[in-house]
Amino acid sequence: MSQTPPPTQDASPAPVEEPVRTEEPTQVVEPLPAPEVETPAPEATEATEAEAPAPTVEPSPPAKPRPSPAALAAKPGPRPGPRPGPRPTAAAPAPPVDPEAHARAAAFGRVDTDGTVFVVETAGERAVGQVPGSTGDDALALYVRRFLDLEAKVTLFAARLSTSDLSLKEIDQTLVALTDEVAEPAAVGDLDGLRARLDELREVAATRKQAVEAERAAARERALGERTAIVEQAEKIASTDPERIQWKPAGEQLRQLLDTWKEAQRTGPRLERGVEDALWKRFSHARTTFDRERRHHFAQLEARNTEAKAAKEAIVTEAETLSTSTDWGATAGAYRDLMTRWKAAGRAARSVDDALWARFRTAQEQFFAARDAQSAQVDAEFQANLAVKLDLLTEAEALLPVKDLEAAKTALRSIQARWEQAGKVPRAEIQRIEARLRAVEKAVRDSEDARWRRTNPETRARAEGMVAQLTAAIAGLEADLAKATEAGNTRKAEELRAALTARQAWLSQAEQAAADARG
């Protein structure tokens, strides 16, 4: 910042600070201009509102009236450069100034007899400018206003520092600008207090910067975790067994991971170059591995498809050759073998496989349709035979239950002979009527087996021998029971009675078995 030198004793008129109108500050980083020096016109003997000296740095139109120092004190602080748009022909009203704030700031300044304005600081007095012909508040007004503008900037910065989301760059730039502005400004006010307040804000800004740095470090840590998770997920996909992986969904998932990576680079915090490069190499390697395995898989698949296509074309050719055969049994077996070979051949390309399967099914259906048509014709001829066999079944089932075994056997042999003479029946009825006849045959056979068991000589001999043994045992028990009763041996008598009762029951069963064996 430039400073107006103290007045000198020479014959030339002393320079005067040029008052320039401005608006209330909108950004705290806007620097205050150095006080400009201007030379009054020769005929000017007093700075009044109607007769103000012309500026030397930024001349105004000659016809424009200049405001007096008293009017300047009520106007906002200086602003570099002209205001945009056309200049008004008359000065706009300045915003109001707090009288108390103005008075407090003015207490730190004084005006010399020649109009030189001084500000009082801890280091001593310092000349900040000169307003010839003015003394007191009129001369201090401009410089007090400049101090109030500086104070407003510091206040605004403090408010933004505590409430706004300022970047670190904005904080640093604002601190540098304000430090320069309050170093030796051409202003009157409590500059020492303003500098002390700025020092306090510098400490607040340092704390704020530390918090921002901590937030950035945490954000970078989160971003590192997210990027690492992307890489690990890509590596997991790339390491999946090629025989088990689903290539299309896996490829789409890798593309989504790449989009997520790009979005994180574009909108997320920057990672350290070495860390990001290492993660990208892992991610790129995983994608390259996946792509290589996918190409290898589909190359092998193409080879298998070609082999399967050749095998199935041979099967289809053979099936089409057999489609006109009338050797129904052998050809049906051949088609079963062709189906087994088809399943073992593997899959060709989907479109090829579907087309070949359609040809195979057409040939197979042609053969079986011809066989079914021929079977239907034969079945119609066998309907009469079916009616005869149904009558024979009715006659055979009337033999049950078997009462006269010999008569049943004779009738069944006659029925079986006529069954064979009746001939074939429709294929769909064979199992049903054969099952009914076998049930009758089994019943007769079971009856014959039961009679044999009963009339078996060995069985009869064993039964008769058992009867004789039991009869003798019962006679001995009865004699022993009589002796025990006569002797008064009650306990032994009871035991003999129990044994006698059991032997008598066994004898009854043995006699029945012997009677059955005799027929």
Side-chain angles (χ1 to χ4, degrees), residues 237 240-253 290:
I237 294 172
T240 305
D241 185 357
E243 297 299 326
R244 300 175 57 187
I245 194 171
Q246 296 182 354
W247 296 102
K248 186 174 181 180
E252 180 61 29
Q253 191 174 2
F290 174 83

Side-chain angles (χ1 to χ4, degrees), residues 310-374:
K312 288 186 174 182
E313 284 177 342
I315 293 172
V316 169
T317 300
E318 191 172 347
E320 289 172 343
T321 302
L322 293 173
S323 64
T324 57
S325 173
T326 56
D327 188 357
W328 311 117
T331 305
Y335 271 111
R336 284 193 296 271
D337 294 340
L338 289 177
M339 179 61 72
T340 302
R341 288 166 53 191
W342 178 278
K343 293 178 180 179
R347 289 191 61 85
R350 186 177 184 86
S351 58
V352 174
D353 208 65
D354 290 347
L356 290 174
W357 175 249
R359 289 175 57 191
F360 181 83
R361 289 292 297 170
T362 299
Q364 190 181 44
E365 290 171 357
Q366 180 180 345
F367 165 77
F368 284 105
R371 189 191 68 172
D372 292 344
Q374 195 273 344

Side-chain angles (χ1 to χ4, degrees), residues 470-486 496-497 499-501 503-504 507:
L470 289 172
T471 300
I474 289 172
L477 289 171
E478 288 176 346
D480 293 338
L481 177 62
K483 291 178 182 181
T485 303
E486 184 178 352
L496 291 172
R497 284 192 189 92
L500 180 60
T501 301
R503 298 301 189 281
Q504 288 173 345
L507 177 61

Side-chain angles (χ1 to χ4, degrees), residues 273-444:
R273 183 62 176 269
V275 173
E276 187 167 18
D277 287 349
L279 288 174
W280 172 251
K281 287 180 181 178
R282 288 174 57 189
F283 186 43
S284 179
H285 177 71
R287 294 175 63 233
T288 302
T289 301
F290 174 83
D291 189 57
R292 182 177 63 250
E293 291 295 335
R294 180 174 58 181
R295 288 197 302 269
H296 178 67
H297 168 78
F298 282 103
Q300 288 184 327
L301 181 62
E302 182 64 24
R304 289 197 299 268
N305 287 348
T306 302
E307 183 179 353
K309 176 184 177 183
K312 288 186 174 182
E313 284 177 342
I315 293 172
V316 169
T317 300
E318 191 172 347
E320 289 172 343
T321 302
L322 293 173
S323 64
T324 57
S325 173
T326 56
D327 188 357
W328 311 117
T331 305
Y335 271 111
R336 284 193 296 271
D337 294 340
L338 289 177
M339 179 61 72
T340 302
R341 288 166 53 191
W342 178 278
K343 293 178 180 179
R347 289 191 61 85
R350 186 177 184 86
S351 58
V352 174
D353 208 65
D354 290 347
L356 290 174
W357 175 249
R359 289 175 57 191
F360 181 83
R361 289 292 297 170
T362 299
Q364 190 181 44
E365 290 171 357
Q366 180 180 345
F367 165 77
F368 284 105
R371 189 191 68 172
D372 292 344
Q374 195 273 344
S375 297
Q377 182 180 357
V378 173
D379 288 347
E381 298 174 358
F382 291 164
Q383 287 297 325
N385 300 340
L386 176 63
V388 173
K389 288 192 174 184
L390 289 175
D391 291 340
L392 291 174
L393 284 173
T394 302
E395 184 179 346
E397 290 169 347
L399 300 176
L400 303 180
V402 178
K403 298 178 181 178
D404 186 345
L405 180 59
E406 293 301 328
K409 289 170 62 177
T410 301
L412 182 58
R413 285 194 292 271
S414 174
I415 291 171
Q416 289 172 333
R418 284 178 287 161
W419 183 277
E420 294 297 330
Q421 293 174 359
K424 297 181 179 181
V425 298
R427 183 186 299 272
E429 301 291 339
I430 292 177
Q431 291 185 354
R432 184 173 66 85
I433 62 176
E434 290 285 349
R436 290 174 61 185
L437 181 60
R438 283 195 297 271
V440 174
E441 293 173 344
K442 184 176 183 301
V444 173

